[in-house]
Amino acid sequence: QVQLVESGGGLVQPGGSLRLSCAASGRTFSSYTMGWFRQAAGKEHELVADISWSGGSGRYADSVKGRFTISRDNAENTVFLQMNSLKPEDTAVYYCNAHGVTAADYGMEYWGKGTLVTVSS
């Protein structure tokens, strides 16, 4: 049974930090692009960051550049999102995503159920 399970969300004050984790099970995702998405109340579903299979590159939404860092540990089948200097605008449900890009996995996609991050004073 394939699962992506997010953890690390919670309530934090503006300027604080959180580290989100996404633990995958049921298959190996080393060949997948892994990403974090978020959706705030009344807002569009947004790509926050993603990282290639090699872990050698990452992409970030303009709104989080310089504050968030995505990383992955393929040996542990886990992806992380370090969030620093959090702003109220970062409040959202954060979802982990795995996207197949190889010939064998192309078109396959998996999602976690999300973890809520609330940034409030």
Side-chain angles (χ1 to χ4, degrees):
Q1 191 172 39
V2 176
Q3 286 187 304
L4 301 177
V5 180
E6 303 95 337
S7 63
L11 175 64
V12 64
Q13 294 190 199
S17 297
L18 286 173
R19 191 190 194 204
L20 305 184
S21 298
C22 173
S25 62
R27 71 173 299 158
T28 298
F29 289 95
S30 59
S31 63
Y32 281 62
T33 295
M34 304 295 295
W36 290 93
F37 291 73
R38 69 184 181 187
Q39 187 166 23
K43 303 292 181 63
E44 299 291 334
H45 192 255
E46 176 187 24
L47 171 66
V48 178
D50 63 13
I51 186 167
S52 71
W53 63 269
S54 69
S57 63
R59 302 188 303 168
Y60 299 90
D62 288 341
S63 59
V64 308
K65 285 181 180 177
R67 300 189 297 119
F68 291 11
T69 303
I70 189 170
S71 61
R72 66 191 295 168
D73 186 337
N74 287 340
E76 296 185 0
N77 221 21
T78 304
V79 63
F80 306 95
L81 185 68
Q82 178 66 46
M83 305 185 294
N84 298 326
S85 301
L86 283 162
K87 304 175 180 180
E89 306 94 274
D90 296 318
T91 296
V93 177
Y94 285 71
Y95 299 92
C96 180
N97 168 261
H99 180 71
V101 295
T102 66
D105 301 320
Y106 190 81
M108 299 187 70
E109 193 165 59
Y110 300 91
W111 291 89
K113 293 183 178 180
T115 186
L116 177 63
V117 172
T118 302
V119 185
S120 177
S121 60

